[in-house]
């Protein structure tokens, strides 16, 4: 089994790489140049905080601690990994930690350009503790967690736990925190699509750790059966993840072509992510047909969904709802239709003669996650709103949150006599003072 | 002919353009510039080194107009671009001997 | 063998990462800022299409289907992976798919800035079906494929199948499609070399999956012998890949210094790719000396070759011919001289007392690939030219293909009052209209 | 053991990726836009040269050659890997090569924007031969090397060998080569922090190869014990690397907030690297508490240290001293306090009842590395200064070293009518001449 | 002295520069600007949000010339920059009291 | 009123600003431009293709001043920006009818 173990070292590092820098780039490129650094910081800080929190009490609440009413584990049982064997540090603790980190980081896209760093630093640990750890316990503590026990829904790598979860939280925060100054009036176009393209590519790369690394052994004794399962099941999840993503990219581009006449690179990047989101819960449940259909459906539906926010007038800035909630639901629910007993999951969905059972389970699981996170995130959001406060001043937002919150600007592309752009860079023309002892 | 040059705050550009359009200005040339004046810049710190950013971004608008329109155009710009806070900018008018439309070679009023 | 299997999961993900984002960045940085998104899109779309096509009939044509005249496999035998065991989904199907995807993506560099997305979307599936799948069958279906049967040439990871193949196709397309407006007159310098440097670095990283992952077992029964081969042969291919690339980088820089007086960063990035291309077929055939010589030769010769297009007046925009065709030939032919029986390939080349046999085989294989792809790509190229048409309008080309084909522009670096560049960004000054119901 | 072997293939590729492109990006983003290419080139060239040198005599001097006075191995014993088995090409030779490459590349940050490429090309091979190979031999040739024999200090992955070593060399070069024109007067702010953020993220990702890949087997016979060690020790090093890095990021940000009122993205990126540096020697020596403390200490102390150079008026341009020397010392010395017998290292430090022994050993090892490299680097630095000369002309430095040394400029963001920035790009307005036969 | 200011299409810059060089203009100052006028911009769509790019990039050329040369310079620019399609731009001439060469302190005609 | 326009070398900007500040100039508008003249650009080579960069970056400063100050301001700029090497730039003075402060509507001297 050291082969499987070697894979899990890589898989864990890959998922960590998804938050920093991949997601930070994907989001950063879509924000304005005056707020790209703040956008990236939200991802980096999420990982920084969750990395510590998960080791202290996250693992205990999600898996190791004694179950409390099928809702979560006792945070103190395995506090700071007490009595947790080194063998499960990587495939267990660290692998799961990276999921928690990226889930909360995903939320940041909904509230771009307007949130105080301090508010975010407060939100991250509270939210993962109240929303993420419990849901991952409820869904993934097989036979123990609430969802697993009552609905036995399939969620291979986190359709409910990660994407619906983050999507709902993003929806709530976008509503509670409100729109950016000038939303719907001023242009808020992506400032650097090359960053978004890099981010999408690296997310795709890292997602193999995410999905293919999420295999659970049937035997778990490290024997022949486990190895055989490793060498066959991962083939299915890898292939499904790949073709669903390809189908979603093409689906999004086709939809754009129909709706707006042109297929865009932002559409390709977005389609990739939408497909990866939708195949996340379903990569172990469906066959090739199912994977292609789920991917294509996610691409088409998300491409349509991202336009809705302007209608309802909600500033879900980088479409966490349109991509992660919608994509997560597509993947979670379509399992009910396309799940097949010939796939590792071993359950037949409606179209494979399995009746409505699976569909019902999937819907129930999704509904429960939406309910739990919807309610609790609302409480957290208002609590912060009426205490610390979420938003930077309106002037700071107009001038740019990078300058206000971090005292930085992302670019200084003036290049003196060296050619290239000779745009007036304010800082180049600036007076530089090294404040003696500023650090003393 | 006159050349009206206006230096205003970037977020006022949109309003000014609309006001001028309404008045009947059919064209203008715009550039982004950096302004130095009473309005102060801000400070940035990178690894303990402080940078004092003295300049503030401004939008510079150039409009060639007929002699009679100059005052109205100036008035419109001042009215629309005014926020009352330091840094609103300046507008100045200078004489122009002649203006030509490249496409047609038309001169002066006909060129606008 | 689960260790080898674990490696193949990673290797496959690595090669996929080479197309998106690595190659897209390498090419995107070299194109102009008004066409960078289109350039990147060509890589992304290639993977999107090939990912589906390969699973449907590619694997069947390349390997699984019954051989048809030693030229290709029957596409319908293993349609949609019928009867293909899960065990071969990764190391087999997906690993090979990523090769097909990057091969066609490589071609896009030759026709940068001027091709309609629709034409490319049509070309990709046709070309891989007519040129890539057959050649990979002919070379890699051992003892069955035409090249393998008659010449028994060595092509460890794709010198003929990938690089000569893509290089010839690029040559043909560049000639059929014609020059960019202003080629040779207007400046067409790289718009963002930092992207090209990132791309080159990530290509190098991913190339270990490409070369080291291409090992074929002698026994294949998963026994001790296989494991021993895995743990020794990969050492040779990894080391050869590394030192050849280093030698090529230094070779290109030295050549530049001689020709132009200065060594450039674009030269370093290009040298890296040239070296990787040349060592691709030869990484299992040569020893340390051979690897260094092949790398250095590729660096020097490609650095010289990229200048030729201006002489012949052919607009191979990003030097697919100069780097991939030339580099692929260098690697493929030098095997005939430096191949050694002490390497995994086990064949002695001319300089190692093996006579001209190997050299002849290598030349024949290269010639055949050039012939096959040269002829068939010409047919495809003209077919598209006289039906759908390849090129965007001249005006669109001047204004920028990103705007014309995708309705996007890559950068909007205006940063309001937040400092940084204050270049006039048209869009910042633009009127923003959220078209109600645009998506409804 | 093929699982462990599979991991080492990946780990080696990961560390190689740290130099190109990760470190090049981290440094490149911090330099000015007129010198970013030169900054990146220094990393790329380092790998290019060391890749060849290490295979020729580096491996022999570091490990394979007969020991010479416990100082280094005989470079000629295993010249060009004579008699080195293929099995040790990856986990041994190549893995160690990537360490040498990144160590010398790290130094370049101290002398940004002002050094001739030719001087750097000369420095790299000399320095690794005189400083890196010997120290890696002295520390890591267990029981043979000077440091290992006399102090038995713990340096799991290179606190002394890599970071203190590079830090001291950077200090010496910064002093010998002198300040940049306008240092302390003109603004020299980072020109593109998104590159620095990408770099930091990829460095973190690659660092798992660096630390987790540095495990040494107790038995080494590939038996059960080895596998068990692999599957438990790597868990500790992976987890410690992660949480120390998280703690360092938060520590740096907190320190910035206190010192300057704002937490910056450059601070987050810097904190990540500082934490990774400090946990490099200690990841196998401490428990969770130790890892968090070491990380936090590194973040806080380095955040403070980077300000010192302005006081002493030394132009350590990108803080190689402030981050790598200080961070390396923090990690190396705190082992003496927090090392615990419950960790893989098996040694108790002061706070764990081990007395001052460990602390003394650590201090001695650090001191020795500082002494050795300090003296020898000074000799090399002056030798180059009085022969070839280090610096470009003052005018070249003002105009930009990219233009002077490479004849390039990184960015040309003019995008014609395609929208985006319309900054006057000199080259767009330039006359383009394809010099016939320039390459002939 | 006169100041000739020309706003033209970017891809015409090269021709204009050569024509002026041929005529004997030894120097000029160039900047990229955004133009607003009859010529319309284009539209971009990002995730369903349409952006109407109202401005079009232009090149702005400033040339200080002697009084007698002004007309010829204007003529040359108009002739060379003309494509006949909307958006060709404008050229205007305004009076200059004096011009100084920084390097030498020379004034007026001697400064050019 | 007069408009003083100066085109200087970028690295001289800081000195010029300080000198003008000392003299009492309270504001100015700055932009980066490209200069064409006696000073030659440089050459870049990318994969064997040579690019001759004809333009050199310059800083362009616009200052509206009272009639009496114009000469002094010109003198200060010439003195401070001078390096004596080709490419130091030009300074020219042109008439301004009126200038308005957007914030207050003040005119002419009161506007500065
Ligand atoms: N004398 C001047 N000549 C040209 N431009 C000026 C002058 N004084 C100010 N400006 C421009 O006007 C802008 C606003 O001026 P400032 O003094 O900051 O505020 P206010 O005009 O409200 O007093 C400046 O940023 C600068 O761009
Ligand atoms: N009144 C004006 N003042 C200054 N610049 C103008 C004016 N009118 C037009 N321009 C400039 O001339 C350019 C071309 O004008 P436009 O009306 O689009 O086409 P045309 O000049 O062919 O009628 C505009 O983009 C703008 O930069
Ligand atoms: N006739 C002109 N009109 C406007 N600007 C000019 C003119 N001649 C020169 N310049 C500007 O002055 C700069 C310096 O001129 P140049 O001839 O290179 O050196 P010098 O002024 O020392 O002779 C040029 O780069 C250009 O920006």
């Amino acid at each position: 089994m050291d082969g499987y173990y070697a894979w899990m070292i890589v898989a864990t590092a890959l998922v960590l790489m998804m938050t920093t820098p991949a997601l930070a780039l994907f989001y950063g490129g879509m924000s304005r140049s005056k707020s790209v650094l703040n956008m990236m910081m939200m991802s980096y800080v999420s990982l920084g905080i969750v990395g510590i929190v998960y080791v202290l009490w996250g693992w205990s609440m999600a898996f190791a601690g004694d179950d409390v009413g099928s809702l979560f584990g006792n945070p103190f049982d395995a506090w700071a990994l007490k009595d947790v064997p080194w063998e499960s540090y990587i495939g267990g603790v660290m692998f799961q930690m990276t999921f928690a980190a990226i889930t909360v980081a995903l939320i940041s896209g909904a509230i771009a350009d307007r949130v105080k760093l301090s508010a975010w630093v407060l939100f991250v640990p509270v939210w993962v503790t109240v929303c993420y750890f419990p849901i991952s316990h409820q869904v993934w503590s097989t036979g123990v967690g609430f969802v697993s026990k009552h609905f036995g829904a399939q969620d291979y790598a986190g359709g409910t736990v990660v994407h619906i979860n983050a999507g709902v939280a993003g929806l709530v925060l976008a509503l509670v925190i409100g729109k950016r100054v000038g939303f719907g009036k001023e242009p808020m176009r992506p400032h650097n699509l090359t960053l978004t393209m890099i981010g999408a590519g690296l997310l795709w790369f890292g997602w193999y750790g995410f999905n293919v690394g999420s295999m659970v052994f049937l035997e778990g004794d490290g024997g022949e059966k486990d190895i055989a399962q490793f060498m066959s099941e991962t083939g299915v999840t890898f292939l499904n993840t790949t073709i669903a993503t390809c189908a979603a990219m093409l689906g999004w581009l086709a939809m754009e072509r129909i709706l707006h006449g042109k297929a865009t690179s932002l559409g390709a990047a977005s389609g990739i992510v939408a497909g990866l989101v939708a195949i996340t819960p379903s990569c172990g449940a469906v066959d090739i047909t199912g994977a292609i259909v789920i991917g294509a459906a996610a691409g088409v539906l998300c491409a349509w969904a991202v336009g809705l926010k302007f209608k309802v007038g909600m500033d879900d800035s980088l479409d966490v709802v349109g991509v992660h909630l919608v994509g997560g639901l597509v993947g979670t629910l379509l399992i009910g239709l396309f799940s097949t007993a010939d796939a590792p999951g071993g359950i037949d969905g409606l179209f494979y003669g399995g009746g409505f059972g699976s569909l019902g389970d999937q819907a129930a699981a999704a509904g429960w996650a939406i309910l739990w996170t919807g309610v609790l995130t609302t409480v957290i959001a208002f609590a912060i709103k009426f205490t610390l406060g979420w938003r930077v001043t309106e002037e700071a937002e107009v001038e740019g949150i990078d300058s206000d919150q971090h005292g930085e600007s992302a670019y200084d592309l003036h290049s003196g006599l060296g050619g290239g752009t000779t745009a007036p860079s304010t800082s180049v023309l600036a007076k530089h003072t090294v404040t003696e002892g500023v650090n003393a | 002919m006159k050349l009206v040059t206006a230096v205003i705050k970037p977020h006022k550009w949109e309003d000014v353009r609309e006001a001028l359009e309404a008045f009947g200005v059919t064209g203008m040339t715009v550039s982004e510039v950096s302004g130095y004046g009473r309005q102060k810049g801000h400070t940035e710190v990178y690894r303990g080194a402080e940078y004092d950013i003295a300049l503030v971004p401004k939008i510079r608008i150039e409009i060639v107009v007929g002699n009679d329109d100059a005052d109205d155009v100036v008035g419109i710009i001042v009215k629309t671009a005014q926020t009352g806070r330091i840094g609103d900018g300046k507008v100045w008018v200078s004489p122009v001997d002649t203006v030509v439309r490249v496409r047609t070679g038309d001169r002066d009023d006909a060129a606008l």
Side-chain angles (χ1 to χ4, degrees), chain A residues 162-235:
Chain A
V162 175
H163 297 290
I164 292 177
N165 206 355
V168 172
L171 176 66
V172 171
L173 290 195
L175 290 171
V176 173
I177 294 173
K179 307 175 192 178
R180 283 168 292 181
V181 176
F183 174 73
K185 280 180 242 56
E186 286 169 28
M188 297 180 173
R189 49 154 298 193
H191 88 286
N192 189 341
L193 285 170
T194 63
L195 295 185
T196 300
M197 293 293 265
I198 304 176
L202 291 180
L203 281 170
W204 192 347
F205 177 49
W207 222 292
Y208 288 107
F210 202 92
N211 285 3
V212 180
S214 290
M215 187 187 72
V216 177
F217 285 112
L218 300 175
E219 303 287 325
D221 58 3
E224 281 312 314
K225 282 226 182 75
D226 282 347
I227 294 183
Q229 184 190 353
F230 170 53
M231 292 174 62
S232 61
E233 182 168 326
T234 53

Side-chain angles (χ1 to χ4, degrees), chain A residues 205-299:
Chain A
F205 177 49
W207 222 292
Y208 288 107
F210 202 92
N211 285 3
V212 180
S214 290
M215 187 187 72
V216 177
F217 285 112
L218 300 175
E219 303 287 325
D221 58 3
E224 281 312 314
K225 282 226 182 75
D226 282 347
I227 294 183
Q229 184 190 353
F230 170 53
M231 292 174 62
S232 61
E233 182 168 326
T234 53
V236 177
T237 52
F238 192 110
L239 185 118
N240 283 345
T241 299
T242 308
I243 58 181
T245 307
C246 293
M249 188 203 311
L250 300 177
W252 188 300
L253 293 176
M255 190 69 173
E256 276 190 324
R257 182 92 189 219
I258 294 163
L259 293 176
H260 315 299
K262 284 175 180 172
T264 70
S265 63
L266 178 58
S270 308
I272 286 169
V273 174
L276 288 162
V277 167
I279 200 66
T280 292
S282 53
C283 60
V286 300
D287 59 18
I288 290 173
T289 316
I292 293 178
V293 173
I294 288 175

